Amino acid sequence: MGHRGQDDKFIKGALTLTVAGFVVKVIGALYRIPLYAILGGEGFGLFQMAYPIYAIMLTVSSAGLNVAISKAVAERWALGRKRDARGAFRISLILMSVIGLVGSVILYLSRDLIAANLARDPRAAVSIAAISPALFLASVLSALRGWFQGIEEMTVPAVSQILEQLGRLVTMLLFARALMPRGSEF
């Protein structure tokens, strides 16, 4: 592929990721309206106590690692060392899985401590426990996105970001509706 073709592919990929990022942000901003309608002020407040803790743990568990994975894969792929690129991805996937699993377990096991000391409301422990598995899934997805970005296939990471956000939205709304009768902390 010539220099012009590489530039076109890069611009198309960047545009695809930008559009996906915008769609994800819009979904992320709009889900709060129906979630608030289901949970009410008290339930939504409990959710708001747990979510920043999840966001911090997510940042720690995957901050920039998909970029590092992408770079490691891309370097090997560009040199025609596809087997080495796959090996780098496998190692990264294992590492990200372990990091995500450890983060999820730590978050789950420390839910009461975090709820009482950081959120300042013991009822937030249920929300913290509920979001803890997402750390594992987000870490694995980060590794997969790194692979696809490394081989310069930007459509898959873009679509996965949108599907992940839609999945989060649907899951939150369904569980909120189903569990609300048990109390706002659920």
Side-chain angles (χ1 to χ4, degrees):
M1 182 181 299
H3 186 63
R4 172 88 170 128
Q6 288 175 334
D7 289 346
D8 289 347
K9 187 173 184 176
F10 175 79
I11 291 169
K12 181 182 174 192
L15 181 62
T16 300
L17 289 175
T18 300
V19 169
F22 177 75
V23 170
V24 165
K25 294 291 184 194
V26 168
I27 295 169
L30 293 179
Y31 82 87
R32 295 173 186 273
I33 297 166
L35 188 62
Y36 184 84
I38 295 168
L39 298 179
E42 183 180 5
F44 193 76
L46 291 170
F47 168 77
Q48 289 295 95
M49 289 178 194
Y51 196 80
I53 295 161
Y54 159 77
I56 290 167
M57 292 290 289
L58 180 62
T59 300
V60 169
S61 72
S62 62
L65 292 176
N66 68 321
V67 175
I69 294 166
S70 173
K71 185 176 182 332
V73 168
E75 286 173 351
R76 289 159 179 82
W77 198 264
L79 295 172
R81 296 173 32 211
K82 295 185 183 344
R83 183 178 185 161
D84 291 343
R86 287 182 192 94
F89 166 69
R90 274 192 295 279
I91 290 168
S92 301
L93 181 60
I94 291 167
L95 176 65
M96 293 301 290
S97 297
V98 169
I99 290 171
L101 183 61
V102 168
S104 289
V105 169
I106 288 171
L107 187 59
Y108 182 80
L109 293 177
S110 61
R111 67 192 180 276
D112 294 322
L113 181 70
I114 293 170
N117 295 303
L118 293 177
R120 303 259 188 234
D121 190 331
R123 296 174 302 160
V126 175
S127 296
I128 294 167
I131 61 175
S132 64
L135 287 174
F136 173 74
L137 295 173
S139 295
V140 170
L141 286 173
S142 181
L144 291 168
R145 286 186 189 119
W147 163 259
F148 283 105
Q149 289 169 353
I151 64 170
E152 296 182 4
E153 177 51 60
M154 302 304 174
T155 303
V156 173
V159 170
S160 78
Q161 287 175 357
I162 294 169
L163 291 176
E164 178 184 354
Q165 188 72 322
L166 286 172
R168 185 179 299 131
L169 168 73
V170 169
T171 302
M172 259 193 282
L173 295 178
L174 288 175
F175 277 114
R177 187 170 304 282
L179 296 173
M180 195 58 191
R182 294 183 64 189
S184 59
E185 66 270 18
F186 288 94

